[in-house]
Amino acid sequence: MAEGGGAAPVASETTLVREVFGPLGGLVECGAVLEAVSVGEFVARHRGELDRTLDVVRRLGAFHAESMAVMDGLGYLREHEVPPAGLLMWSGCIEEYTPDLGGPEAVRRTARMGADLQLARLLQALVGVAALRGGVDVECGAPEIAEVIGALGAWGGPGGGRSLHEVFLMWRVAFLPGLLTPSSGSPEPFRRRLREYARVLERVVAPQE
């Protein structure tokens, strides 16, 4: 389930849930910065969306409780500081590193880029898990994925989020080509499921296209 290309490996449950929980954790940290609150306050404020997301992840991947417990071990949902280095990691190092990233404007820009990137990565992780594991039917799974991404895309305060359509477009151009081209090495059943999810998501997200 590589980000930009390459074959989809046969992965363990723990590996797959980490691929989901990584970008989800990044969204929590970037969202807390964008909303100018502590991580603990941010998690409490968005507990409903987080619980719904975790439930969808469990169902899409047909994951066991032990695998879902990995999220607790990662510590993203517990109170902690979000250092500049963390924002740089989530954003793909869009800014040059300085101890304070150059001030509030640069911090916010980095957090916004980090949230954008992690939203697209989370969408790919959710679709990838669903395509690999087949926990639910595509016609059921795609709307649930859209629901989750739409809710998480709104994080960041008034005017600070992304629409579901925007995230879908970022994902479609940044991830799908590298996984679907003949040279990608992705197994044919995986490519077929990805295309099915892309078609149903497009119908759900952007019916006018």
Side-chain angles (χ1 to χ4, degrees):
M1 206 162 67
E3 289 176 6
V10 177
S12 67
E13 278 198 19
T14 300
T15 298
L16 288 177
V17 295
R18 283 180 177 272
E19 289 196 19
V20 176
F21 294 156
L24 181 58
L27 283 171
V28 168
E29 293 193 345
C30 292
V33 171
L34 289 168
E35 295 186 15
V37 296
S38 70
V39 170
E41 183 177 345
F42 183 88
V43 168
R45 180 181 293 183
H46 296 286
R47 187 75 254 183
E49 299 105 280
L50 285 164
D51 286 346
R52 175 57 176 157
T53 298
L54 294 174
D55 181 60
V56 169
V57 171
R58 178 187 58 79
R59 293 182 65 253
L60 288 175
F63 291 130
H64 296 93
E66 294 81 1
S67 298
M68 295 300 297
V70 167
M71 189 61 173
D72 291 333
L74 293 172
Y76 291 126
L77 305 186
R78 295 194 294 269
E79 184 63 88
H80 63 278
E81 294 295 321
V82 182
L87 290 179
L88 285 170
M89 177 186 71
W90 297 126
S91 69
C93 295
I94 189 174
E95 294 288 338
E96 184 178 3
Y97 176 78
T98 63
D100 63 355
L101 286 180
E105 182 179 347
V107 168
R108 183 168 183 80
R109 185 167 59 250
T110 303
R112 180 66 268 162
M113 171 61 184
D116 289 346
L117 181 56
Q118 299 314 313
L119 277 167
R121 285 179 171 168
L122 180 61
L123 179 50
Q124 172 54 34
L126 291 172
V127 172
V129 162
L132 284 171
R133 301 277 292 180
V136 297
D137 180 78
V138 174
E139 293 289 341
C140 296
E144 288 194 311
I145 291 172
E147 174 199 342
V148 164
I149 295 298
L152 273 54
W155 288 357
R162 295 295 183 200
S163 71
L164 175 58
H165 192 193
E166 287 176 313
V167 180
F168 172 76
L169 293 178
M170 288 191 289
W171 167 73
R172 188 168 66 180
V173 300
F175 290 86
L176 279 187
L179 291 166
L180 294 178
T181 56
S183 61
S184 70
S186 299
E188 180 55 35
F190 181 67
R191 291 207 300 263
R192 184 169 59 250
R193 292 275 290 181
L194 283 180
R195 290 189 174 102
E196 289 173 358
Y197 266 97
R199 285 193 291 269
V200 177
L201 279 170
E202 181 176 327
R203 189 171 73 237
V204 172
V205 171
Q208 75 278 10
E209 287 194 349

